[in-house]
Amino acid sequence: MMKSGVLAAALLLGLVSSRCQNANEISLLVRADDMGSFHDANVACIKACTEGIARSIEVMVPCAWFPEAVRLLNENPTIDVGIHLVLTSEWEGIKWRPLTDVPSLVDHDGYFYPQIWGGKDSAHSAYLLKVHWSIQEIEKEMRAQIALAKKYIPRVSHVSAHMGWSHMDPQAHELFERLAKEYGLRTEEVEGILGMAGWDNSASLEPMIDQFVRKINSLTPGTYLFVEHPGLNNAEMHSAIVDSQNTLALDRQHVTDIYTSKEVLKALHDKGVTLISYADLVRMK
């Protein structure tokens, strides 16, 4: 039997979702990014949609947990899916490689570079814009990622750029737009959409929920986008960063908890916010 608190949250979720049929003044597209990167990310992204406020999931094709992501997404066919096109492998403890032979895009071990623009030690380490990358090889790899995603998740509605690589160079942006059009997909770049602020990661969970509820209550008419990365506070996510004091797993558990919070669901309902997906934006045109 479903517990009363879970039942109440489920009913509230249904009320918020059902409003997507109406022309409300405030619309919010909540994204769950990086499915495929970890098992914990896969579980959390699905939970964020089925029990929470996320309406679009971004899946990373070259990553180790992509096959499981395919299975989970196909078990939940109503969830909107985007292809989170990958050109970087940013974590120390887990790495991914391209699907194709693209030597200008990989480091000496054959992995994607950890950064596009370089990090704190960029003067001493390789990053993508520091090397002689090839736009032809980027196109080759992006086509392979799109093709594999469409093969196993035919309903994908859009493409997005992991770590923002589509803005690293005008050639890259032109390619991103051109491939989306060629494959019948929209891009993550939505004209007129407003970014929504989130919470302070230095806070504990309850104050973070309160911060997000206040952000919801302050929304004015318009269409908004909020992007975060659901995860679980387990050993798998801790292993991504060598520093044992890292907070990655806890931070991403907080995302999952906020996305599925009854207080957040209630605030959205009371404010009259319509939760939408990228697929909804296509239908709304």
Side-chain angles (χ1 to χ4, degrees):
M1 181 177 292
M2 186 179 289
K3 294 181 180 179
S4 59
V6 177
L7 176 59
L11 291 173
L12 208 52
L13 177 60
L15 288 172
V16 173
S17 298
S18 68
R19 292 185 170 193
C20 291
Q21 301 291 323
N22 305 323
N24 288 344
E25 290 185 316
I26 303 174
S27 298
L28 175 60
L29 197 171
V30 179
R31 242 171 66 175
D33 277 25
D34 291 8
M35 191 168 187
S37 57
F38 300 88
H39 165 72
D40 288 345
N42 288 353
V43 173
C45 284
I46 293 295
K47 182 176 182 178
C49 283
T50 59
E51 300 179 29
I53 65 173
R55 289 296 175 271
S56 291
I57 288 178
E58 309 304 301
V59 65
M60 299 169 69
V61 177
C63 298
W65 289 94
F66 174 69
E68 181 190 60
V70 167
R71 176 176 61 80
L72 292 173
L73 289 168
N74 287 328
E75 288 173 357
N76 293 272
T78 62
I79 295 176
D80 179 50
V81 185
I83 310 169
H84 205 38
L85 295 169
V86 176
L87 271 184
T88 56
S89 180
E90 60 271 21
W91 304 116
E92 302 164 273
I94 182 170
K95 290 292 181 183
W96 36 81
R97 304 171 186 272
L99 302 180
T100 60
D101 181 20
V102 282
S104 76
L105 307 182
V106 297
D107 65 14
H108 60 276
D109 292 322
Y111 298 116
F112 285 118
Y113 289 102
Q115 301 286 339
I116 300 288
W117 291 271
K120 295 178 182 177
D121 60 346
S122 58
H124 306 288
S125 63
Y127 54 96
L128 190 57
L129 284 182
K130 189 177 181 179
V131 302
H132 297 291
W133 54 272
S134 160
I135 192 66
Q136 290 79 19
E137 290 189 355
I138 293 177
E139 178 168 353
K140 178 182 179 181
E141 176 63 19
M142 295 305 99
R143 285 186 180 278
Q145 292 184 24
I146 293 170
L148 193 60
K150 287 178 71 70
K151 176 180 179 180
Y152 289 108
I153 317 167
R155 71 180 187 276
V156 290
S157 67
H158 62 281
V159 291
S160 56
H162 182 59
M163 303 289 284
W165 67 261
S166 62
H167 291 282
M168 74 181 202
D169 183 272
Q171 292 181 87
H173 190 261
E174 185 279 330
L175 173 66
F176 182 68
E177 295 283 342
R178 174 164 53 83
L179 290 179
K181 184 175 181 180
E182 178 181 333
Y183 285 93
L185 304 169
R186 75 166 303 137
T187 74
E188 63 183 323
E189 298 174 9
V190 179
E191 184 177 356
I193 203 165
L194 304 168
M196 179 182 172
W199 50 81
D200 177 7
N201 268 336
S202 65
S204 58
L205 180 60
E206 289 307 316
M208 291 162 72
I209 291 173
D210 290 342
Q211 288 175 28
F212 198 49
V213 166
R214 288 197 297 273
K215 293 293 194 305
I216 291 168
N217 289 333
S218 70
L219 293 176
T220 56
T223 300
Y224 296 84
L225 171 68
F226 186 78
V227 177
E228 256 299 352
H229 306 76
L232 301 176
N233 189 12
N234 288 337
E236 182 196 28
M237 297 208 82
H238 278 286
S239 71
I241 300 177
V242 173
D243 180 4
S244 62
Q245 302 302 311
N246 82 80
T247 63
L248 174 68
L250 180 60
D251 293 343
R252 297 201 170 185
Q253 178 71 62
H254 282 159
V255 174
T256 306
D257 293 340
I258 294 168
Y259 271 22
T260 57
S261 161
K262 289 184 291 184
E263 291 84 357
V264 169
L265 285 163
K266 184 176 187 301
L268 289 167
H269 173 259
D270 292 348
K271 183 71 174 178
V273 175
T274 300
L275 291 174
I276 61 172
S277 67
Y278 283 100
D280 292 324
L281 287 173
V282 173
R283 291 190 286 267
M284 289 162 61
K285 279 188 173 182

